[in-house]
Amino acid sequence: MSLNDTPSGERTHISFFGVRNAGKSSLVNAVTAQELAVVSNVAGTTTDPVRKAMELLPIGPVVIIDTPGFDDEGMLGEKRVLKTKQVLNQTDIAVLAVDGTRGFSDCDRQLIGLFKEKLIPYVIVYTKSDLAKDGAVNKSGEDDSDKLFLGSISVSSVNGDNIYELKELIGKAAKTEKEEKHVIADLIAPGDVVVLVIPIDESAPKGRIILPQQQVLRDILENGSKALVVRELELEDALKDLKQPPALVVTDSQAFRYVDKIVPQDVMLTSFSILLARYKGFLDSALEGVRALESLKSGDTVLISEGCTHHRQCEDIGTVKIPKWLNEYTNGEINFETSSGRGFADDLSKYKLVIHCGGCMLNEREMLYRMKCANDAGVPFTNYGIFIAHVNGILERSIQILKK
């Protein structure tokens, strides 16, 4: 997979914040060396968050997000500020653009407060250094004792002063923030054989396999292990063809029941979705949340949420299969609501359970934010793979590999 093919959920999300006319959008254009953001002298030119997936040296694959001014006013301004706050939930590194000719504002200090609240590492950039008198800058908003504060720098987007140095500072922060993680490689040894079960049905995208399956396959190959990829229909013959049992079988969750009957009990079995829950950092919460299935009753409302938007087929897992399986399991009539993409309910209090997809298109910070929103509201939170394993009575087997 090339850097240009890196999925959004695996990219470092760098967001630029600041008040109107602080030079934020000009800074974004200077850092990216692209006309990514519209620039003008009119306050409030940026009205919606602007996102761009790109490669930014020395960091690598990133998503750059330019946000509306945090001091926007009026009814529309309030909505824009709300969108800016929502971007915080996806942000790995925040860049605060402070107008170098005016120094810190109350809104700048509010933003730093939000960075601290969300535990987001941040850089302070004093813009318009070419206009600042004698190069003097009011740095009264800096807090050197704050471990999230990664440093400050004065720049000019007009003549390019210190733009390279700023990118180096952000790159150093990104390297510190990025933890080496694996989807599956730390669970297997080089040389191990792993069988991947990938159903090819009407819901499978034409000509490709879905992202979690790609990520697992790539991790296996990079680890020096061996992957055998089959449909569930060929699984039994494939296992017989192997001279030794595989170290692990990983299946699409929707085929869990079928695959469980074929794979010998002494062979480890799990699903792509469960591996992703661990990778995204919410496995423990999802295992705890699935217990709520035992107390669900008719009339309760469950939210089924997905991190991406796609054309739904007649047997769509989120809107058809999971509701069907859940009603069968509870022997009741549960009410279901759905969300997709970046849309996620602000008020979760009416739900008795949130069942989320694996979150392959969302970065870890966004997934953990959604989990925390549910936890703060006292609403159990689980994901597709753990739910499906539970209702099929094979949850304990499916997480055994994770206890090694």
Tab-separated table of all heavy atoms in Angstrom, residues 115-140:
chain	number	residue	atom	x	y	z
A	115	PHE	N	-8.114	21.815	24.046
A	115	PHE	CA	-7.032	20.870	23.746
A	115	PHE	C	-6.688	20.067	25.002
A	115	PHE	O	-6.510	18.844	24.951
A	115	PHE	CB	-5.777	21.596	23.258
A	115	PHE	CG	-5.956	22.419	22.018
A	115	PHE	CD1	-5.083	23.480	21.737
A	115	PHE	CD2	-6.974	22.155	21.119
A	115	PHE	CE1	-5.234	24.236	20.591
A	115	PHE	CE2	-7.142	22.921	19.957
A	115	PHE	CZ	-6.259	23.967	19.704
A	116	LYS	N	-6.594	20.761	26.121
A	116	LYS	CA	-6.259	20.097	27.379
A	116	LYS	C	-7.364	19.129	27.798
A	116	LYS	O	-7.101	18.010	28.250
A	116	LYS	CB	-6.025	21.134	28.475
A	116	LYS	CG	-4.796	22.007	28.275
A	116	LYS	CD	-4.644	23.018	29.402
A	116	LYS	CE	-3.400	23.880	29.229
A	116	LYS	NZ	-3.258	24.877	30.318
A	117	GLU	N	-8.604	19.579	27.638
A	117	GLU	CA	-9.748	18.731	28.010
A	117	GLU	C	-9.781	17.455	27.189
A	117	GLU	O	-10.084	16.368	27.702
A	117	GLU	CB	-11.043	19.519	27.812
A	117	GLU	CG	-12.311	18.756	28.129
A	117	GLU	CD	-13.562	19.548	27.797
A	117	GLU	OE1	-13.530	20.791	27.910
A	117	GLU	OE2	-14.572	18.928	27.407
A	118	LYS	N	-9.444	17.580	25.904
A	118	LYS	CA	-9.471	16.428	24.988
A	118	LYS	C	-8.140	15.679	24.935
A	118	LYS	O	-8.012	14.701	24.193
A	118	LYS	CB	-9.833	16.895	23.573
A	118	LYS	CG	-11.179	17.601	23.451
A	118	LYS	CD	-12.327	16.627	23.433
A	118	LYS	CE	-13.638	17.326	23.122
A	118	LYS	NZ	-14.780	16.377	23.086
A	119	LEU	N	-7.142	16.169	25.707
A	119	LEU	CA	-5.812	15.541	25.743
A	119	LEU	C	-5.164	15.504	24.362
A	119	LEU	O	-4.589	14.502	23.939
A	119	LEU	CB	-5.901	14.123	26.325
A	119	LEU	CG	-6.465	14.013	27.749
A	119	LEU	CD1	-6.537	12.551	28.179
A	119	LEU	CD2	-5.630	14.821	28.726
A	120	ILE	N	-5.248	16.635	23.644
A	120	ILE	CA	-4.686	16.740	22.297
A	120	ILE	C	-3.362	17.507	22.356
A	120	ILE	O	-3.329	18.655	22.810
A	120	ILE	CB	-5.651	17.482	21.355
A	120	ILE	CG1	-7.009	16.778	21.299
A	120	ILE	CG2	-5.051	17.587	19.956
A	120	ILE	CD1	-8.066	17.571	20.544
A	121	PRO	N	-2.267	16.909	21.925
A	121	PRO	CA	-1.003	17.649	21.824
A	121	PRO	C	-1.166	18.832	20.867
A	121	PRO	O	-1.833	18.712	19.838
A	121	PRO	CB	-0.023	16.611	21.263
A	121	PRO	CG	-0.665	15.288	21.517
A	121	PRO	CD	-2.134	15.513	21.476
A	122	TYR	N	-0.550	19.976	21.197
A	122	TYR	CA	-0.773	21.160	20.359
A	122	TYR	C	0.490	21.997	20.196
A	122	TYR	O	1.389	21.998	21.046
A	122	TYR	CB	-1.909	22.018	20.918
A	122	TYR	CG	-1.647	22.633	22.278
A	122	TYR	CD1	-1.152	23.940	22.396
A	122	TYR	CD2	-1.901	21.921	23.449
A	122	TYR	CE1	-0.915	24.508	23.644
A	122	TYR	CE2	-1.666	22.482	24.696
A	122	TYR	CZ	-1.178	23.776	24.788
A	122	TYR	OH	-0.938	24.327	26.029
A	123	VAL	N	0.523	22.690	19.055
A	123	VAL	CA	1.590	23.624	18.708
A	123	VAL	C	0.957	25.003	18.564
A	123	VAL	O	-0.140	25.135	18.012
A	123	VAL	CB	2.269	23.214	17.380
A	123	VAL	CG1	3.253	24.277	16.913
A	123	VAL	CG2	2.960	21.870	17.527
A	124	ILE	N	1.627	26.031	19.063
A	124	ILE	CA	1.145	27.406	18.895
A	124	ILE	C	1.980	28.079	17.812
A	124	ILE	O	3.220	28.065	17.869
A	124	ILE	CB	1.248	28.204	20.205
A	124	ILE	CG1	0.346	27.578	21.267
A	124	ILE	CG2	0.847	29.669	19.975
A	124	ILE	CD1	0.465	28.234	22.638
A	125	VAL	N	1.296	28.640	16.806
A	125	VAL	CA	1.966	29.322	15.697
A	125	VAL	C	1.547	30.787	15.695
A	125	VAL	O	0.353	31.092	15.582
A	125	VAL	CB	1.620	28.666	14.343
A	125	VAL	CG1	2.353	29.387	13.217
A	125	VAL	CG2	1.974	27.190	14.353
A	126	TYR	N	2.515	31.679	15.815
A	126	TYR	CA	2.245	33.107	15.743
A	126	TYR	C	2.400	33.528	14.290
A	126	TYR	O	3.502	33.467	13.728
A	126	TYR	CB	3.194	33.876	16.651
A	126	TYR	CG	3.065	33.488	18.112
A	126	TYR	CD1	3.968	32.612	18.694
A	126	TYR	CD2	2.001	33.961	18.878
A	126	TYR	CE1	3.833	32.232	20.025
A	126	TYR	CE2	1.858	33.583	20.217
A	126	TYR	CZ	2.780	32.715	20.774
A	126	TYR	OH	2.629	32.332	22.087
A	127	THR	N	1.300	33.912	13.666
A	127	THR	CA	1.287	34.235	12.242
A	127	THR	C	1.683	35.697	11.997
A	127	THR	O	1.821	36.484	12.935
A	127	THR	CB	-0.113	33.990	11.664
A	127	THR	OG1	-1.057	34.851	12.327
A	127	THR	CG2	-0.545	32.538	11.855
A	128	LYS	N	1.865	36.016	10.719
A	128	LYS	CA	2.100	37.397	10.266
A	128	LYS	C	3.364	38.004	10.879
A	128	LYS	O	3.392	39.190	11.241
A	128	LYS	CB	0.891	38.286	10.583
A	128	LYS	CG	-0.445	37.728	10.086
A	128	LYS	CD	-1.612	38.625	10.462
A	128	LYS	CE	-2.949	38.014	10.078
A	128	LYS	NZ	-4.103	38.857	10.463
A	129	SER	N	4.419	37.190	10.989
A	129	SER	CA	5.658	37.710	11.576
A	129	SER	C	6.238	38.849	10.739
A	129	SER	O	6.992	39.686	11.255
A	129	SER	CB	6.691	36.591	11.724
A	129	SER	OG	7.089	36.088	10.451
A	130	ASP	N	5.895	38.903	9.457
A	130	ASP	CA	6.378	39.981	8.596
A	130	ASP	C	5.716	41.314	8.922
A	130	ASP	O	6.221	42.381	8.527
A	130	ASP	CB	6.127	39.632	7.124
A	130	ASP	CG	4.674	39.264	6.858
A	130	ASP	OD1	4.144	38.404	7.599
A	130	ASP	OD2	4.067	39.803	5.918
A	131	LEU	N	4.585	41.272	9.652
A	131	LEU	CA	3.865	42.496	10.007
A	131	LEU	C	4.027	42.876	11.475
A	131	LEU	O	3.723	44.012	11.863
A	131	LEU	CB	2.365	42.335	9.706
A	131	LEU	CG	1.980	42.030	8.256
A	131	LEU	CD1	0.466	41.853	8.145
A	131	LEU	CD2	2.460	43.143	7.332
A	132	ALA	N	4.472	41.935	12.293
A	132	ALA	CA	4.605	42.205	13.728
A	132	ALA	C	5.706	43.235	13.972
A	132	ALA	O	6.802	43.129	13.439
A	132	ALA	CB	4.918	40.915	14.477
A	133	LYS	N	5.420	44.245	14.769
A	133	LYS	CA	6.368	45.305	15.042
A	133	LYS	C	7.562	44.776	15.842
A	133	LYS	O	7.391	44.201	16.908
A	133	LYS	CB	5.684	46.427	15.815
A	133	LYS	CG	4.591	47.150	15.022
A	133	LYS	CD	3.971	48.255	15.853
A	133	LYS	CE	2.884	48.983	15.048
A	133	LYS	NZ	2.249	50.059	15.856
A	134	ASP	N	8.746	44.998	15.278
A	134	ASP	CA	9.991	44.599	15.941
A	134	ASP	C	10.020	43.109	16.279
A	134	ASP	O	10.796	42.671	17.126
A	134	ASP	CB	10.202	45.402	17.233
A	134	ASP	CG	10.218	46.903	16.978
A	134	ASP	OD1	10.785	47.298	15.950
A	134	ASP	OD2	9.669	47.637	17.808
A	135	GLY	N	9.136	42.350	15.646
A	135	GLY	CA	9.090	40.915	15.912
A	135	GLY	C	8.568	40.564	17.285
A	135	GLY	O	8.643	39.408	17.710
A	136	ALA	N	8.022	41.538	18.002
A	136	ALA	CA	7.525	41.283	19.362
A	136	ALA	C	6.178	40.578	19.303
A	136	ALA	O	5.301	40.962	18.537
A	136	ALA	CB	7.395	42.588	20.125
A	137	VAL	N	6.026	39.528	20.115
A	137	VAL	CA	4.787	38.751	20.134
A	137	VAL	C	4.348	38.547	21.578
A	137	VAL	O	5.167	38.225	22.447
A	137	VAL	CB	4.986	37.370	19.456
A	137	VAL	CG1	3.716	36.545	19.559
A	137	VAL	CG2	5.391	37.540	18.017
A	138	ASN	N	3.066	38.732	21.819
A	138	ASN	CA	2.505	38.488	23.145
A	138	ASN	C	2.289	36.986	23.316
A	138	ASN	O	1.399	36.409	22.701
A	138	ASN	CB	1.190	39.246	23.292
A	138	ASN	CG	0.469	38.917	24.583
A	138	ASN	OD1	1.028	38.286	25.485
A	138	ASN	ND2	-0.781	39.341	24.683
A	139	LYS	N	3.103	36.341	24.154
A	139	LYS	CA	3.024	34.898	24.359
A	139	LYS	C	2.409	34.556	25.707
A	139	LYS	O	2.699	33.501	26.290
A	139	LYS	CB	4.418	34.278	24.243
A	139	LYS	CG	5.057	34.454	22.856
A	139	LYS	CD	6.368	33.694	22.766
A	139	LYS	CE	6.961	33.817	21.364
A	139	LYS	NZ	8.214	33.030	21.227
A	140	SER	N	1.517	35.412	26.174
A	140	SER	CA	0.958	35.232	27.522
A	140	SER	C	0.099	33.983	27.658
A	140	SER	O	-0.211	33.559	28.772
A	140	SER	CB	0.119	36.458	27.906
A	140	SER	OG	-0.955	36.628	26.984
